[in-house]
Amino acid sequence: MYNGGVLDDTAAEPTSNAQGELTRSITGRLLFFYVLGDVLGSGVYVLIGLVAGAVGGAFWIAFAAGVTLATITGLAYAELATKFPQAAGASLYVNKAFHNPLLTFLITICSLSAVFAASGSLATGFARYFGSIFDLAPALLVTLAFIVILTVVNFIGITESVVVNMVMTFIEVFGLIVVMAIGIIVVVQGDADFGVLTSFSAEGNPIFAIVAGVALAFFAMTGFENAANVAEETIDPARNFPRALIGGMLTAGVIYVLVAMSAALVVPVSTLAGADAALLEVVRADVLPGSVDVLLKIFAVIAMVAITNTTLVSVVTQSRILYGMSREDVVPAVFSKVHPTRRSPYVALVFSAVVVAALLVIGDVLSRVNADLDIVGRLATVTVVFLLFIYALVIISTLKLRGEGVTAESYRANTPLLYLGVVGNIVLLGYVVIDDPGSLYWVGGLLALGGALYLAQRVSGGRRGSGTATESRA
């Protein structure tokens, strides 16, 4: 899950010591699980069917390739985080490298837009799993209610949100273990056809099929950049940060590849590709003992919990990015207003919910007009467009900042790999845009929204006065 790139000073204060510096208390092992928990999101629950349809039985290769590109990008974050250990992520790095306020603002808006689009994609995925066991309301109503409920949870307080997030992380990992266990049982029983793992059912060149799959699978590998926000609190960051970051990403990648292989061995690829909730088809294969109907309901609940977990973090991120931008005098001051008792940035929360709801409504209308439009895939593509642009600029910033901020605790990434990462992100970005040009309308709309917020702040008179409610911290 992508966590933007704006400084969230609400997270830094509780760990400050008497000298105003953050306490180094996070061990390498703790950081490893932090990264693993961030990357192991719900993307695989939502998108695995679309990836299978794009590639064929060998769709696990798309996940492996996505992991590789994301890991190379992670090397850049590891170097920059150990040189500039501040909780501001991509915006900070690009600002230091280019000293261009407009470019820095663009990166920040891209970060915010990516989280908006991701929330919409995940909410739609939630509605599909919900609809597989309950027939209570139209899918659009379910998605809107889902976003409203998560907004209320975040309004109650960030501490409560983090506690809920921790519990749901264990549940979503358990769901992936269940899928892998089903795959192992099929293999042990001798029913697995390993030939399917090298088959490409998509038309055209297999390389283009893999690239198409990577473009979707990449959505599931995001979230690693969040670790940059805790580099200053990591013990021996030069040693522990790169190991934990890359180790966590590779572990998550291995799990994704094994889940993809298990699904391909258990269920025909055509079935996965045609299913709204693809992983339910793995459970429906009736490999596990017990009632299939009961197991389907249990797994659907697990999938919904997994999606809720990632979307919950997204809703937190949206409001905190707006809150941080407001405090930096980039968007109107109203977004930094904090509720007097709950201490939550309630205006930013409500605005974010409205934007995501608008994306969902627009997507629902367009999908009724064009039956071939898959709103989950479209919003995932929009998210990936923003993130690939951000990641490419972060790697370029890494190369541009070579020689600056170097200390004994700095990590230096492999230079040829960084150049490969730039090319990989740019090539994949180009392919995504060419393959789905319609996504650019969504990208343009979200960027226009960010520009409108910026203009509104300029028109409203710039810096706010002192002593307002906006000076409170979320």
Side-chain angles (χ1 to χ4, degrees):
M1 165 26 234
Y2 187 70
N3 194 32
V6 172
L7 174 63
D8 182 2
D9 45 6
T10 65
E13 287 188 350
T15 55
S16 298
N17 58 26
Q19 287 72 41
E21 297 179 351
L22 295 175
T23 302
R24 293 195 183 279
S25 58
I26 301 177
T27 64
R29 180 174 297 181
L30 287 176
L31 185 60
F32 168 83
F33 285 107
Y34 177 88
V35 173
L36 182 62
D38 266 351
V39 175
L40 272 182
S42 58
V44 68
Y45 284 94
V46 174
L47 293 173
I48 192 168
L50 293 176
V51 178
V55 181
F59 69 93
W60 63 271
I61 298 176
F63 280 100
V67 168
T68 302
L69 181 57
T71 302
I72 293 174
T73 305
L75 295 175
Y77 274 90
E79 176 170 333
L80 292 172
T82 54
K83 289 167 66 175
F84 311 109
Q86 301 171 36
S91 296
L92 171 70
Y93 307 147
V94 172
N95 186 56
K96 284 184 175 292
F98 296 95
H99 304 288
N100 187 319
L102 182 60
L103 184 58
T104 302
F105 173 74
L106 177 61
I107 285 293
T108 306
I109 289 299
C110 286
S111 301
L112 180 62
S113 299
V115 184
F116 282 150
S119 297
S121 179
L122 293 170
T124 306
F126 176 92
R128 291 180 177 180
Y129 277 99
F130 184 90
S132 69
I133 56 176
F134 301 111
D135 187 18
L136 303 177
L140 177 61
L141 184 58
V142 173
T143 60
L144 295 176
F146 179 62
I147 293 299
V148 170
I149 291 172
L150 293 188
T151 300
V152 172
V153 170
N154 276 278
F155 170 75
I156 292 173
I158 184 67
T159 301
E160 290 81 355
S161 298
V162 171
V163 172
V164 172
N165 178 269
M166 289 177 59
V167 173
M168 290 193 292
T169 296
F170 288 105
I171 296 175
E172 72 179 75
V173 171
F174 176 73
L176 298 179
I177 293 174
V178 169
V179 173
M180 289 187 285
I182 293 174
I184 291 173
I185 292 173
V186 170
V187 171
V188 172
Q189 291 177 341
D191 297 328
D193 176 12
F194 290 99
V196 73
L197 298 180
T198 57
S199 67
F200 295 89
S201 58
E203 297 180 0
N205 192 312
I207 294 179
F208 289 112
I210 292 174
V211 173
V214 172
L216 290 168
F218 199 78
F219 180 83
M221 279 305 300
T222 59
F224 60 86
E225 63 282 340
N226 298 348
N229 293 326
V230 297
E232 195 173 358
E233 301 165 76
T234 302
I235 299 171
D236 191 8
R239 177 177 180 272
N240 288 327
F241 191 89
R243 291 184 178 185
L245 179 64
I246 304 307
M249 293 177 68
L250 290 177
T251 302
V254 169
I255 292 175
Y256 280 155
V257 168
L258 291 177
V259 167
M261 286 183 168
S262 298
L265 291 173
V266 175
V267 180
V269 174
S270 59
T271 302
L272 289 174
D276 286 337
L279 288 184
L280 282 182
E281 300 303 321
V282 179
V283 179
R284 189 174 278 113
D286 197 16
V287 174
L288 295 175
S291 168
V292 174
D293 290 338
V294 173
L295 291 174
L296 283 172
K297 288 181 172 59
I298 293 175
F299 191 85
V301 170
I302 291 174
M304 287 188 287
V305 168
I307 296 169
T308 301
N309 184 29
T310 306
T311 315
L312 180 65
V313 177
S314 297
V315 174
V316 172
T317 302
Q318 295 159 12
S319 60
R320 270 55 183 184
I321 292 178
L322 280 170
Y323 173 82
M325 292 171 70
S326 178
R327 290 181 62 83
E328 293 298 319
D329 202 35
V330 176
V331 297
V334 68
F335 290 114
S336 59
K337 282 190 174 182
V338 175
H339 192 270
T341 56
R342 299 311 311 178
R343 314 307 300 162
S344 299
Y346 64 97
V347 176
L349 277 168
V350 172
F351 179 82
S352 298
V354 170
V355 172
V356 176
L359 291 176
L360 292 170
V361 171
I362 293 171
D364 183 73
V365 172
L366 292 178
S367 62
R368 293 176 186 276
V369 175
N370 179 9
D372 294 330
L373 175 64
D374 186 290
I375 192 61
V376 171
R378 170 56 59 81
L379 289 177
T381 298
V382 172
T383 304
V384 170
V385 167
F386 282 118
L387 294 185
L388 289 172
F389 174 68
I390 293 169
Y391 291 165
L393 269 182
V394 167
I395 299 177
I396 294 172
S397 298
T398 304
L399 296 168
K400 190 173 175 60
L401 290 170
R402 282 283 165 85
E404 297 185 31
V406 178
T407 67
E409 296 182 334
S410 298
Y411 163 78
R412 183 181 175 92
N414 181 277
T415 301
L417 283 179
L418 292 183
Y419 281 109
L420 179 62
V422 172
V423 173
N425 278 286
I426 292 176
V427 168
L428 187 57
L429 175 60
Y431 177 86
V432 170
V433 170
I434 294 173
D435 183 63
D436 187 8
S439 64
L440 292 181
Y441 292 108
W442 297 72
V443 170
L446 288 168
L447 290 178
L449 176 63
L453 292 176
Y454 179 79
L455 291 176
Q457 171 62 3
R458 297 305 96 189
V459 172
S460 66
R463 287 274 174 199
R464 53 190 166 275
S466 59
T468 67
T470 61
E471 295 303 320
S472 302
R473 294 182 183 270

